[in-house]
Amino acid sequence: MKKKALILGITGMVGSHLADYLLENTDWDVYGVCRWRSPLDNVNHLIPRVNKKDRVFFEYADLNDMSSLQHVIGQIRPDYIFHLAAQSYPQTSFTAPIDTLNTNILGTCRLLEAIHFQMEADKSYKPIIHVCASSEVFGRIPPEKKPEDGIDEECPFHPASPYAISKIGTDLLGRYYAEAYGMTVMTTRMFTHTGPRRGDVFHESTFAKQIALIEAGQIEPKVMVGNLKSLRTYADVRDAVRAYYMLVTVNPIPGEYYNIGGAYTCEVGDTLNTLISFSTKKDEIEVVTDPERLRPIDADLQIPNCSKFKAHTGWEPEIPYEKTMKDLLDYWRDRISRGEYFLTR
């Protein structure tokens, strides 16, 4: 019987790329959970297949509504569940902490309860579940406490935002359900990952969008920025979803947790300089610090040690950093050239 994958958060950057990967590299049917108001920009190219019921299907549910989650799990009985849905923007969590905690912690609990309920009702049902936490759980690590070989799985949590706190809850819930109920749940802490379809609230994507708007003559040649000194290690989103596929298919171990990330580390300011170097207006662009883009606390030493995950699966990042950034800039150029309008944020 054909396998079924359920992606919560299919309309996001990662979820949409994961759907693309599964459709291209497996024969699985792909079910994506959407809220009724979810923007479909990232999955617009899949809509013809959805309309034809050609291996990809949209299901309506919400992490904040238990009955909808129970309905989706009970109706589909997916073999693989990728929990990627979240309030995913750290900056927003400072002004909306309760929504962030409710969606990310209680929403994850509702989902795992819905799966557990189905497993109790049908003892033959044994799905493989990926719960996506975040590298933000490690937060603000003092330089003297940063592991010499990068942040490994046992590095203490020191969250620097309500979002990070919510992802600690997500991480621990995944491990709890594996240990308490024998569910095959693995959690991941993916470090910065980006590429086409990245939301414009994230630093490298807002840089790229602003540069594309400057090239199109729609805004002044000024790129507004926040903290440019934070260190980030970048992975391409297309490498990230390949890692998630390997997570659930290469000897999945209940309760395991993995750090996953790219191979290129630099300051946020270097990322900005890379994107500007690709621009036709690079000699005209001015960089301006916008106080509203600064976090009250910043997670500023995001360098992963991914040896545990690599040893277990054989995964390695393949897409060069420069290609990731060029593709991100071209993504925004393409959308702007099609006459779309965007907030200047």
Side-chain angles (χ1 to χ4, degrees):
M1 184 179 293
K2 185 182 287 190
K3 300 287 188 181
K4 299 176 183 178
L6 180 68
I7 302 173
L8 292 99
I10 194 171
T11 60
M13 173 190 69
V14 182
S16 63
H17 279 287
L18 178 59
D20 291 344
Y21 182 89
L22 296 179
L23 290 168
E24 182 176 346
N25 294 280
T26 76
D27 64 352
W28 304 352
D29 284 339
V30 177
Y31 292 80
V33 169
C34 313
R35 293 172 297 171
W36 67 267
R37 63 188 180 279
S38 294
L40 300 178
D41 309 58
N42 291 335
V43 291
N44 184 263
H45 61 293
L46 296 179
I47 289 177
R49 297 187 70 161
V50 174
N51 289 339
K52 294 176 183 176
K53 302 186 186 304
D54 176 20
R55 288 186 57 212
V56 58
F57 310 87
F58 290 165
E59 302 291 335
Y60 291 91
D62 195 307
L63 288 177
N64 294 320
D65 185 84
M66 183 71 177
S67 62
S68 67
L69 295 171
Q70 288 178 321
H71 176 77
V72 165
I73 298 298
Q75 287 292 111
I76 299 170
R77 296 180 79 257
D79 301 280
Y80 302 99
I81 299 170
F82 297 91
H83 175 30
L84 310 179
Q87 191 300 91
S88 60
Y89 185 38
Q91 185 76 12
T92 292
S93 76
F94 290 109
T95 53
I98 295 172
D99 176 62
T100 301
L101 297 171
N102 181 47
T103 300
N104 295 358
I105 299 178
L106 295 183
T108 298
C109 188
R110 293 183 191 103
L111 172 64
L112 292 171
E113 273 295 304
I115 299 167
H116 179 229
F117 178 85
Q118 184 63 31
M119 292 176 69
E120 287 293 299
D122 178 359
K123 299 296 186 181
S124 69
Y125 181 52
K126 299 184 183 300
I128 298 172
I129 305 151
H130 167 212
V131 170
C132 184
S134 169
S135 65
E136 291 272 341
V137 298
F138 299 112
R140 192 175 179 85
I141 302 172
E144 66 274 12
K145 292 188 177 181
K146 184 178 73 67
E148 186 174 335
D149 297 325
I151 299 169
D152 63 20
E153 285 77 4
E154 307 312 319
C155 185
F157 294 159
H158 190 140
S161 67
Y163 168 78
I165 293 168
S166 78
K167 282 299 186 177
I168 290 174
T170 299
D171 188 288
L172 296 178
L173 278 166
R175 285 191 270 167
Y176 164 74
Y177 274 82
E179 294 175 7
Y181 303 116
M183 295 166 62
T184 305
V185 185
M186 290 84 62
T187 61
T188 60
R189 298 85 169 258
M190 179 68 73
F191 284 67
T192 302
H193 48 302
T194 189
R197 307 176 199 160
R198 178 71 151 164
D200 66 353
V201 293
F202 297 97
H203 69 270
E204 75 287 354
S205 194
T206 189
F207 297 162
K209 183 191 74 172
Q210 290 180 79
I211 291 167
L213 287 169
I214 290 167
E215 292 176 344
Q218 294 189 22
I219 62 173
E220 291 184 82
K222 295 180 180 180
V223 174
M224 309 303 289
V225 304
N227 178 15
L228 296 180
K229 301 304 291 183
S230 288
L231 277 176
R232 290 290 184 271
T233 300
Y234 295 91
D236 191 286
V237 63
R238 293 157 291 194
D239 279 333
V241 299
R242 181 169 51 84
Y244 290 166
Y245 168 74
M246 296 176 78
L247 173 78
V248 301
T249 57
V250 180
N251 186 28
I253 301 174
E256 275 292 8
Y257 46 99
Y258 301 98
N259 291 359
I260 309 175
Y264 188 89
T265 300
C266 66
E267 291 186 350
V268 169
D270 297 322
T271 305
L272 173 61
N273 291 336
T274 296
L275 287 163
I276 290 174
S277 74
F278 295 145
S279 176
T280 58
K281 302 284 188 178
K282 60 185 176 185
D283 295 329
E284 303 172 33
I285 291 174
E286 178 185 355
V287 176
V288 179
T289 299
D290 176 4
E292 292 188 2
R293 296 171 189 257
L294 297 171
R295 300 184 191 181
I297 311 175
D298 205 355
D300 55 1
L301 285 172
Q302 292 279 295
I303 304 173
N305 181 332
C306 308
S307 58
K308 179 181 175 181
F309 183 72
K310 291 178 179 180
H312 181 68
T313 63
W315 176 85
E316 290 284 348
E318 295 176 352
I319 300 173
Y321 163 81
E322 290 78 10
K323 174 174 172 54
T324 300
M325 293 301 160
K326 182 66 163 57
D327 288 352
L328 175 61
L329 180 56
D330 286 342
Y331 163 77
W332 285 111
R333 286 168 168 163
D334 178 64
R335 292 191 66 180
I336 290 164
S337 73
R338 288 189 269 114
E340 296 185 49
Y341 293 100
F342 300 99
L343 295 172
T344 53
R345 61 182 183 187

